[in-house]
Tab-separated table of all heavy atoms in Angstrom:
chain	number	residue	atom	x	y	z
A	159	VAL	N	-41.599	90.256	34.854
A	159	VAL	CA	-42.403	90.967	35.849
A	159	VAL	C	-42.684	90.099	37.081
A	159	VAL	O	-42.442	90.538	38.192
A	159	VAL	CB	-43.697	91.514	35.216
A	159	VAL	CG1	-44.613	92.100	36.290
A	159	VAL	CG2	-43.386	92.537	34.166
A	160	PRO	N	-43.179	88.873	36.932
A	160	PRO	CA	-43.427	88.029	38.117
A	160	PRO	C	-42.131	87.747	38.895
A	160	PRO	O	-42.180	87.713	40.118
A	160	PRO	CB	-44.071	86.751	37.563
A	160	PRO	CG	-43.774	86.737	36.129
A	160	PRO	CD	-43.661	88.160	35.709
A	161	MET	N	-41.038	87.502	38.186
A	161	MET	CA	-39.804	87.252	38.885
A	161	MET	C	-39.338	88.467	39.678
A	161	MET	O	-38.836	88.385	40.779
A	161	MET	CB	-38.692	86.805	37.906
A	161	MET	CG	-38.791	85.361	37.478
A	161	MET	SD	-37.379	84.830	36.501
A	161	MET	CE	-37.707	83.095	36.395
A	162	TYR	N	-39.490	89.639	39.094
A	162	TYR	CA	-39.120	90.837	39.764
A	162	TYR	C	-39.961	91.063	41.055
A	162	TYR	O	-39.428	91.443	42.091
A	162	TYR	CB	-39.294	92.093	38.874
A	162	TYR	CG	-38.696	93.333	39.394
A	162	TYR	CD1	-37.410	93.737	39.049
A	162	TYR	CD2	-39.406	94.182	40.269
A	162	TYR	CE1	-36.828	94.885	39.579
A	162	TYR	CE2	-38.841	95.336	40.764
A	162	TYR	CZ	-37.561	95.688	40.390
A	162	TYR	OH	-36.995	96.844	40.906
A	163	GLN	N	-41.247	90.746	40.945
A	163	GLN	CA	-42.117	90.876	42.116
A	163	GLN	C	-41.732	89.884	43.209
A	163	GLN	O	-41.700	90.249	44.388
A	163	GLN	CB	-43.564	90.631	41.685
A	163	GLN	CG	-44.576	90.839	42.787
A	163	GLN	CD	-44.626	92.268	43.308
A	163	GLN	OE1	-44.611	93.206	42.485
A	163	GLN	NE2	-44.623	92.433	44.602
A	164	ILE	N	-41.389	88.669	42.788
A	164	ILE	CA	-41.008	87.633	43.767
A	164	ILE	C	-39.711	88.038	44.469
A	164	ILE	O	-39.570	88.009	45.686
A	164	ILE	CB	-40.869	86.266	43.118
A	164	ILE	CG1	-42.214	85.745	42.638
A	164	ILE	CG2	-40.216	85.262	44.066
A	164	ILE	CD1	-42.168	84.490	41.827
A	165	LEU	N	-38.696	88.457	43.707
A	165	LEU	CA	-37.449	88.891	44.296
A	165	LEU	C	-37.596	90.097	45.170
A	165	LEU	O	-36.923	90.275	46.204
A	165	LEU	CB	-36.423	89.139	43.189
A	165	LEU	CG	-35.967	87.910	42.377
A	165	LEU	CD1	-34.902	88.338	41.359
A	165	LEU	CD2	-35.406	86.829	43.289
A	166	SER	N	-38.475	91.006	44.742
A	166	SER	CA	-38.723	92.204	45.573
A	166	SER	C	-39.342	91.817	46.931
A	166	SER	O	-38.973	92.360	47.963
A	166	SER	CB	-39.658	93.162	44.822
A	166	SER	OG	-39.924	94.314	45.586
A	167	ASP	N	-40.297	90.898	46.918
A	167	ASP	CA	-40.947	90.451	48.147
A	167	ASP	C	-39.925	89.756	49.066
A	167	ASP	O	-40.028	89.811	50.300
A	167	ASP	CB	-42.092	89.508	47.870
A	167	ASP	CG	-43.238	90.229	47.172
A	167	ASP	OD1	-43.293	91.462	47.241
A	167	ASP	OD2	-44.047	89.556	46.534
A	168	LEU	N	-38.952	89.056	48.470
A	168	LEU	CA	-37.927	88.373	49.235
A	168	LEU	C	-36.721	89.273	49.574
A	168	LEU	O	-35.748	88.783	50.151
A	168	LEU	CB	-37.436	87.135	48.442
A	168	LEU	CG	-38.482	86.027	48.220
A	168	LEU	CD1	-37.884	84.941	47.326
A	168	LEU	CD2	-38.967	85.460	49.526
A	169	GLN	N	-36.787	90.529	49.112
A	169	GLN	CA	-35.717	91.482	49.295
A	169	GLN	C	-34.357	90.941	48.700
A	169	GLN	O	-33.322	91.077	49.262
A	169	GLN	CB	-35.487	91.797	50.776
A	169	GLN	CG	-36.680	92.431	51.459
A	169	GLN	CD	-36.509	92.795	52.897
A	169	GLN	OE1	-35.457	92.425	53.488
A	169	GLN	NE2	-37.451	93.532	53.465
A	170	LEU	N	-34.507	90.409	47.489
A	170	LEU	CA	-33.316	89.889	46.807
A	170	LEU	C	-32.997	90.675	45.552
A	170	LEU	O	-32.157	90.271	44.744
A	170	LEU	CB	-33.562	88.425	46.434
A	170	LEU	CG	-33.614	87.434	47.615
A	170	LEU	CD1	-33.910	86.025	47.116
A	170	LEU	CD2	-32.323	87.471	48.426
A	171	ILE	N	-33.646	91.808	45.322
A	171	ILE	CA	-33.273	92.660	44.209
A	171	ILE	C	-31.887	93.221	44.440
A	171	ILE	O	-31.527	93.642	45.575
A	171	ILE	CB	-34.318	93.791	44.030
A	171	ILE	CG1	-35.695	93.215	43.655
A	171	ILE	CG2	-33.862	94.787	42.957
A	171	ILE	CD1	-35.736	92.567	42.288
A	172	ASP	N	-31.112	93.292	43.408
A	172	ASP	CA	-29.729	93.789	43.501
A	172	ASP	C	-28.867	92.941	44.415
A	172	ASP	O	-27.988	93.446	45.168
A	172	ASP	CB	-29.702	95.279	43.953
A	172	ASP	CG	-28.336	95.960	43.653
A	172	ASP	OD1	-27.708	95.532	42.686
A	172	ASP	OD2	-27.974	96.865	44.378
A	173	SER	N	-29.066	91.644	44.407
A	173	SER	CA	-28.271	90.719	45.199
A	173	SER	C	-27.822	89.572	44.315
A	173	SER	O	-28.517	89.178	43.382
A	173	SER	CB	-29.061	90.201	46.396
A	173	SER	OG	-30.112	89.328	45.970
A	174	TYR	N	-26.647	88.994	44.635
A	174	TYR	CA	-26.139	87.899	43.857
A	174	TYR	C	-27.022	86.661	44.030
A	174	TYR	O	-27.235	85.945	43.021
A	174	TYR	CB	-24.730	87.607	44.294
A	174	TYR	CG	-23.697	88.662	44.005
A	174	TYR	CD1	-22.859	89.163	45.008
A	174	TYR	CD2	-23.598	89.198	42.710
A	174	TYR	CE1	-21.942	90.155	44.722
A	174	TYR	CE2	-22.671	90.196	42.462
A	174	TYR	CZ	-21.848	90.656	43.436
A	174	TYR	OH	-20.912	91.647	43.175
A	175	LEU	N	-27.504	86.434	45.220
A	175	LEU	CA	-28.320	85.236	45.452
A	175	LEU	C	-29.604	85.280	44.596
A	175	LEU	O	-30.002	84.250	44.024
A	175	LEU	CB	-28.692	85.104	46.913
A	175	LEU	CG	-29.588	83.944	47.311
A	175	LEU	CD1	-28.952	82.632	46.928
A	175	LEU	CD2	-29.929	83.974	48.795
A	176	GLY	N	-30.232	86.417	44.522
A	176	GLY	CA	-31.449	86.539	43.701
A	176	GLY	C	-31.189	86.224	42.225
A	176	GLY	O	-31.967	85.479	41.594
A	177	LEU	N	-30.108	86.738	41.689
A	177	LEU	CA	-29.784	86.482	40.305
A	177	LEU	C	-29.389	85.008	40.059
A	177	LEU	O	-29.759	84.409	39.045
A	177	LEU	CB	-28.678	87.408	39.832
A	177	LEU	CG	-28.371	87.478	38.324
A	177	LEU	CD1	-29.621	87.912	37.585
A	177	LEU	CD2	-27.216	88.385	38.050
A	178	VAL	N	-28.718	84.409	41.079
A	178	VAL	CA	-28.379	82.992	40.955
A	178	VAL	C	-29.635	82.148	40.898
A	178	VAL	O	-29.734	81.185	40.131
A	178	VAL	CB	-27.459	82.586	42.124
A	178	VAL	CG1	-27.360	81.065	42.205
A	178	VAL	CG2	-26.070	83.174	41.964
A	179	LEU	N	-30.620	82.451	41.753
A	179	LEU	CA	-31.841	81.697	41.788
A	179	LEU	C	-32.613	81.827	40.466
A	179	LEU	O	-33.229	80.863	39.988
A	179	LEU	CB	-32.707	82.115	42.948
A	179	LEU	CG	-32.147	81.834	44.343
A	179	LEU	CD1	-33.090	82.348	45.438
A	179	LEU	CD2	-31.913	80.341	44.513
A	180	VAL	N	-32.577	83.027	39.894
A	180	VAL	CA	-33.251	83.232	38.615
A	180	VAL	C	-32.585	82.399	37.522
A	180	VAL	O	-33.275	81.754	36.714
A	180	VAL	CB	-33.223	84.743	38.214
A	180	VAL	CG1	-33.658	84.941	36.775
A	180	VAL	CG2	-34.110	85.551	39.178
A	181	TYR	N	-31.276	82.390	37.494
A	181	TYR	CA	-30.560	81.595	36.471
A	181	TYR	C	-30.746	80.091	36.703
A	181	TYR	O	-30.787	79.321	35.734
A	181	TYR	CB	-29.081	81.940	36.503
A	181	TYR	CG	-28.743	83.265	35.944
A	181	TYR	CD1	-27.588	83.955	36.344
A	181	TYR	CD2	-29.613	83.935	35.042
A	181	TYR	CE1	-27.314	85.204	35.824
A	181	TYR	CE2	-29.306	85.161	34.532
A	181	TYR	CZ	-28.139	85.803	34.916
A	181	TYR	OH	-27.858	87.050	34.411
A	182	CYS	N	-30.869	79.671	37.947
A	182	CYS	CA	-31.167	78.257	38.235
A	182	CYS	C	-32.499	77.816	37.672
A	182	CYS	O	-32.661	76.657	37.231
A	182	CYS	CB	-31.097	78.006	39.735
A	182	CYS	SG	-29.419	77.976	40.418
A	183	SER	N	-33.461	78.723	37.649
A	183	SER	CA	-34.761	78.384	37.095
A	183	SER	C	-34.661	78.104	35.622
A	183	SER	O	-35.534	77.411	35.042
A	183	SER	CB	-35.757	79.553	37.340
A	183	SER	OG	-35.385	80.677	36.600
A	184	THR	N	-33.635	78.621	34.978
A	184	THR	CA	-33.410	78.325	33.559
A	184	THR	C	-32.518	77.099	33.345
A	184	THR	O	-32.774	76.275	32.446
A	184	THR	CB	-32.764	79.540	32.859
A	184	THR	OG1	-33.602	80.666	33.032
A	184	THR	CG2	-32.533	79.265	31.395
A	185	ALA	N	-31.492	76.982	34.176
A	185	ALA	CA	-30.482	75.914	33.985
A	185	ALA	C	-30.975	74.551	34.466
A	185	ALA	O	-30.663	73.521	33.872
A	185	ALA	CB	-29.168	76.280	34.624
A	186	VAL	N	-31.689	74.529	35.580
A	186	VAL	CA	-32.042	73.252	36.231
A	186	VAL	C	-32.937	72.397	35.339
A	186	VAL	O	-32.667	71.170	35.226
A	186	VAL	CB	-32.715	73.505	37.607
A	186	VAL	CG1	-33.370	72.250	38.144
A	186	VAL	CG2	-31.676	74.000	38.596
A	187	PRO	N	-33.986	72.891	34.690
A	187	PRO	CA	-34.813	72.003	33.891
A	187	PRO	C	-34.043	71.283	32.779
A	187	PRO	O	-34.168	70.071	32.596
A	187	PRO	CB	-35.897	72.938	33.323
A	187	PRO	CG	-35.994	74.050	34.292
A	187	PRO	CD	-34.587	74.246	34.800
A	188	TYR	N	-33.226	72.046	32.025
A	188	TYR	CA	-32.440	71.400	30.978
A	188	TYR	C	-31.436	70.402	31.525
A	188	TYR	O	-31.291	69.284	31.030
A	188	TYR	CB	-31.728	72.432	30.156
A	188	TYR	CG	-30.736	71.884	29.146
A	188	TYR	CD1	-31.223	71.384	27.963
A	188	TYR	CD2	-29.385	71.820	29.417
A	188	TYR	CE1	-30.325	70.802	27.009
A	188	TYR	CE2	-28.487	71.274	28.500
A	188	TYR	CZ	-28.979	70.770	27.308
A	188	TYR	OH	-28.107	70.243	26.426
A	189	CYS	N	-30.734	70.805	32.606
A	189	CYS	CA	-29.698	69.932	33.153
A	189	CYS	C	-30.311	68.699	33.768
A	189	CYS	O	-29.713	67.604	33.766
A	189	CYS	CB	-28.867	70.685	34.189
A	189	CYS	SG	-27.850	71.988	33.508
Side-chain angles (χ1 to χ4, degrees):
V159 174
M161 282 189 172
Y162 191 94
Q163 184 63 45
I164 293 173
L165 294 181
S166 179
D167 294 340
L168 297 175
Q169 298 182 353
L170 292 177
I171 296 293
D172 197 29
S173 69
Y174 294 128
L175 178 60
L177 192 58
V178 167
L179 294 178
V180 170
Y181 288 155
C182 284
S183 67
T184 302
V186 167
Y188 172 80
C189 292

